[in-house]
Amino acid sequence: MPKTNGNGQARVLTPEALDLLLDVAPSPVHRALWAVMRFTGSRVTETLHLHWGAIHNDRIVFEAATTKTKRTREPLVGERLHRELEKYRLHWEYIHNQQARNGHLLFLSPNSESQPVTRQAADLALRKTLLGLGDAIPSGVSLHSFRRSLATTMAQKGASLRTVQRFTGHASMGQLQNYIEVSESDEVAALNLIGG
């Protein structure tokens, strides 16, 4: 069930819908932010607090102080995310006229050298983008859709829940299982098992 007025869970999007969102992102900042969340399953707040020293060739380090579970998480960086981040690094260095280094935030708030983009500003950018897309993306999408989409798609494509948990950092398998969306076709198949 898609999120409505703060109730329910964020809509899970297909890889194609996620690609569309990246393609129409309002700025390189938002494209990179959404790409990190899409390909690591990270929460928006922990992503907004990333600094360049946390970006490695093969992993991104979400520090314990920024995660909900207060545990460090190091999801693998795939080829696509690596390319997105390299492209964004060049943009960041051009805009800020300096080399991106450890301690420099990836997602700086406009007119600030030390504060990240706020969650509210990130949410507003997504809402405006969704409005511009009209019916191309279903309703019920939020910043959390990137995270739920990663978890659901990985699970539906056969990744073990333990592997999915490595990306999302859920504290327990029970929490993760509640998080993964069950497709309508799976529900129909289950009903068919009982002659329903």
Side-chain angles (χ1 to χ4, degrees):
M1 174 178 301
K3 194 167 196 159
T4 306
N5 295 329
N7 297 297
Q9 292 189 330
R11 170 84 70 172
V12 170
L13 296 173
T14 65
E16 296 77 20
L18 291 165
D19 284 343
L20 175 61
L21 274 177
L22 289 185
D23 288 344
V24 300
S27 74
V29 171
H30 294 99
R31 182 180 175 102
L33 174 66
W34 297 348
V36 171
M37 292 190 303
R38 175 185 179 184
F39 293 114
T40 67
S42 57
R43 294 173 183 90
V44 66
T45 303
E46 63 196 17
T47 309
L48 290 171
H49 284 91
L50 282 172
H51 56 86
W52 284 106
I55 309 299
H56 301 274
N57 286 336
D58 60 340
R59 304 232 175 233
I60 292 181
V61 178
F62 292 95
E63 297 174 1
T66 68
T67 68
K68 186 176 178 181
T69 59
K70 301 302 178 204
R71 292 185 204 155
T72 298
R73 188 171 77 259
E74 301 176 15
L76 191 64
V77 171
E79 175 100 12
R80 256 188 93 187
L81 180 55
H82 182 72
R83 284 194 313 264
E84 291 284 347
L85 288 171
E86 282 307 306
K87 188 172 156 183
Y88 180 61
R89 181 188 299 267
L90 293 173
H91 169 79
W92 191 99
E93 290 177 342
Y94 175 77
I95 293 298
H96 297 286
N97 199 28
Q98 62 180 313
Q99 188 175 5
R101 297 186 183 182
N102 190 18
H104 292 156
L105 291 169
L106 272 73
F107 307 110
L108 284 166
S109 184
N111 305 316
S112 174
E113 291 298 318
S114 61
Q115 295 299 310
V117 170
T118 65
R119 178 180 171 71
Q120 292 79 8
D123 183 65
L124 182 60
L126 179 61
R127 301 255 163 252
K128 285 182 177 179
T129 301
L130 292 168
L131 269 175
L133 288 171
D135 292 337
I137 301 282
S139 64
V141 172
S142 75
L143 289 167
H144 221 56
S145 291
F146 296 100
R147 182 170 165 78
R148 285 201 71 225
S149 298
L150 172 128
T152 298
T153 301
M154 282 183 166
Q156 288 177 346
K157 300 263 184 190
S160 72
L161 289 182
R162 182 73 183 110
T163 302
V164 177
Q165 185 184 32
R166 177 116 170 111
F167 279 83
T168 65
H170 279 93
S172 73
M173 288 294 183
Q175 287 177 332
L176 177 58
Q177 286 175 323
N178 288 333
Y179 204 73
I180 294 172
E181 183 171 272
V182 175
S183 71
E184 190 170 322
S185 61
D186 287 342
E187 290 178 303
V188 169
L191 274 177
N192 289 339
L193 290 174
I194 61 168

